[in-house]
Amino acid sequence: MSDAPITYASAGVDVEAGDKAVELMKASVRRATRPEVLGGLGGFAGMFDASAIARMTRPILATSTDGVGTKVAIAQALDVHDTIGFDLVGMVVDDIVVCGAEPLFMTDYIATGKVVPERIAAIVGGIARACEEAGVALVGGETAEHPGLLEPDEYDVAGAATGVVEHAAVLGPQRVADGDVVVALASSGLHSNGYSLVRRVVASAGWQLDRQVDDFGRTLGEELLEPTRIYTRPLLELIAADGVDVHALSHVTGGGLAANLARVLPTGMFARVERSTWTPPAVFRTIQDLGRVPQADIERTLNQGIGFVAVLPEAQAARAIELSEARGIRAWRLGEVATEERAQSAGLFADGVEIVRGAKGVEGGAVQVVGSHPAA
C-alpha cells in the first residue's frame, strides 16, 4: 500500500479541465438562447421566464428526453465531435413538436472517462448550434468525469427539453379522420437510430470508416456521421400555415416507419403506406445488402429515408409538400388513412402483408407498408 495521499485528481477527476471546458463553450452557448432566458452559464439551474404562458388559455407543457445511442462510437472513432449535438437535439426537441408544442429550452448531460476541454467544447458547440437552428434555448447542462467506468476517450450524451402548446391545438390521434393522407418528410440519412445494427453489419463486412464509397460520394465514416435533420422550425411553420390543418405528426425513430405512424393513429383507423412512392437513399440499401438484413427487420430498425410523417386532409397535402420543400426538405404523398371498416370494403388491406398495430405501449391504429421501392 502506498503512503502517497490520494487526491481527486489522482483518482482520475480533473476539476480544472472541467472549468476550462466551460470557458471554451461559453461563446457557442450564448448564441443558443431566447429572450426569456434569465441568468447565464454556470448557475445551479437554468431559468426561463414563463410569464407568457400565463396569457395562454390552457397551456400544456410537453417534455422529452433522449440520447444519441451508439452513434457516439462513430464520432469517437473518427475523432469528430462537433456534429453529434445535432443528433441529440433532433432526437429530443423534435419529439416535442409531434404533439404540436413549441420547444422552449433544453439541458444536456455528458458523461466521459476523461474531460478533454476541447472535445467537450466541440460536443456542446454542436448542441448549441442545433438549439439555435431549432429556436430552442440551451439553459444549462452537466459534464461528469467517470474514470474507471468509461475509457478516457469514451463519452455518452443525453438531454431533456420542455415545450408548450395550447390544449386546443394539441395534435394527435383525436384529430385524425377518415380520408386523411400521409405525407413523408425526407431524412438527412440514418439520423440516430439503428447504429447497433449498422455497426455490426459494417464490422462483419470488414469495412473501415475511411473507405470511399462511390454510392455515397464520400467515405463510409462521413456518411454514418451525417447529422440528424432538425425539423422543429419547418414543422412549427407548417402547423401555423394558412390553409393547412395538420392532424398528427410522427417522428420516425426507433421502431421504424410503421410502428411510429401507428402510435399517432386512433384505434380503428388504418394507414396504407406505399413503398412505390420513394427510393431509400444509398446508405440504407448498402447496409441491407452488406448484412443480408431481412426487409422487415431493416424497416423496424432504420428510418429508410423518412424522418417525419404528417397526417392531414387530402386537399391540403399539396400545400404541405410545397411548404416543406420551400424549407429544403423533400416531401411527398406516402399513403392514405381510412377506418378499418372502409379499408376492408375498399380492398385497402393487402393479403399476406404484416399489419402493425400500435407500438411502445400505445394502443394505436393499424399500418401496412405495401409494394416495392423503385430501383435507384
Side-chain angles (χ1 to χ4, degrees):
M1 180 181 294
S2 171
D3 292 331
I6 298 174
T7 65
Y8 207 13
S10 68
V13 177
D14 188 342
V15 176
E16 291 183 0
D19 291 341
K20 182 180 179 183
V22 172
E23 288 299 317
L24 291 174
M25 69 178 72
K26 273 185 175 179
S28 58
V29 173
R30 283 194 197 102
R31 293 193 296 271
T33 190
R34 291 171 56 117
E36 302 95 334
V37 175
L38 303 177
L41 190 66
F44 282 91
M47 295 185 292
F48 190 92
D49 183 349
S51 56
I53 295 176
R55 296 191 290 274
M56 297 175 69
T57 302
R58 187 182 173 186
I60 304 297
L61 295 178
T63 185
S64 177
T65 186
D66 209 340
V68 174
T70 61
K71 188 172 183 175
V72 296
I74 306 297
Q76 291 160 20
L78 294 174
D79 196 24
V80 175
H81 311 286
D82 61 349
T83 62
I84 206 74
F86 278 81
D87 301 289
L88 178 62
V89 173
M91 290 299 101
V92 174
V93 303
D94 283 342
D95 273 3
I96 288 175
V97 180
V98 167
C99 67
E102 178 187 1
L104 301 174
F105 56 85
M106 180 170 175
T107 57
D108 66 79
Y109 176 81
I110 304 169
T112 184
K114 177 179 176 60
V115 169
V116 177
E118 294 76 12
R119 184 167 61 211
I120 298 301
I123 297 168
V124 175
I127 295 171
R129 287 195 306 277
C131 282
E132 185 179 7
E133 182 176 317
V136 175
L138 183 61
V139 296
E142 175 71 13
T143 299
E145 203 164 23
H146 291 168
L149 183 63
L150 296 170
E151 294 298 320
D153 290 334
E154 290 182 338
Y155 63 82
D156 198 10
V157 295
T162 298
V164 66
V165 60
E166 282 279 11
H167 181 266
V170 171
L171 305 182
Q174 75 281 1
R175 290 176 175 259
V176 176
D178 186 18
D180 280 353
V181 297
V182 183
V183 169
L185 281 68
S187 69
S188 58
L190 294 168
H191 285 184
S192 303
N193 300 102
Y195 274 77
S196 294
L197 170 67
V198 171
R199 291 168 54 244
R200 176 68 178 272
V201 166
V202 168
S204 178
W207 284 26
Q208 302 301 312
L209 294 177
D210 60 359
R211 181 188 183 107
Q212 187 72 30
V213 183
D214 290 343
D215 284 346
F216 303 162
R218 54 182 171 177
T219 67
L220 173 65
E222 289 169 336
E223 180 68 32
L224 298 187
L225 203 59
E226 177 67 31
T228 298
R229 171 168 277 152
I230 306 294
Y231 295 90
T232 300
R233 278 182 163 155
L235 286 175
L236 291 174
E237 289 177 7
L238 180 65
I239 293 167
D242 291 336
V244 177
D245 180 20
V246 177
H247 289 167
L249 294 170
S250 182
H251 196 185
V252 183
T253 56
L257 172 60
N260 283 293
L261 176 54
R263 292 169 69 186
V264 299
L265 298 178
T267 56
M269 203 68 77
F270 167 75
R272 177 184 170 108
V273 171
E274 303 281 351
R275 291 191 188 94
S276 63
T277 62
W278 90 102
T279 300
V283 64
F284 299 97
R285 302 193 306 273
T286 299
I287 296 301
Q288 185 172 11
D289 293 345
L290 271 183
R292 300 180 301 281
V293 183
Q295 184 73 22
D297 196 70
I298 201 158
E299 289 185 341
R300 282 194 299 263
T301 308
L302 304 180
N303 69 58
Q304 293 295 91
I306 299 174
F308 247 92
V309 293
V311 181
L312 70 169
E314 181 177 23
Q316 300 170 11
R319 176 67 174 150
I321 292 169
E322 177 187 10
L323 289 170
S324 177
E325 295 194 336
R327 290 299 304 262
I329 303 174
R330 190 169 71 88
W332 65 95
R333 178 170 165 162
L334 182 65
E336 58 185 306
V337 176
T339 63
E340 290 201 31
E341 182 179 1
R342 184 170 74 84
Q344 288 282 9
S345 63
L348 295 179
F349 282 102
D351 293 336
V353 177
E354 179 187 15
I355 299 175
V356 176
R357 295 183 182 275
K360 299 190 177 181
V362 176
E363 292 185 9
V367 176
Q368 267 191 328
V369 184
V370 303
S372 300
H373 295 295

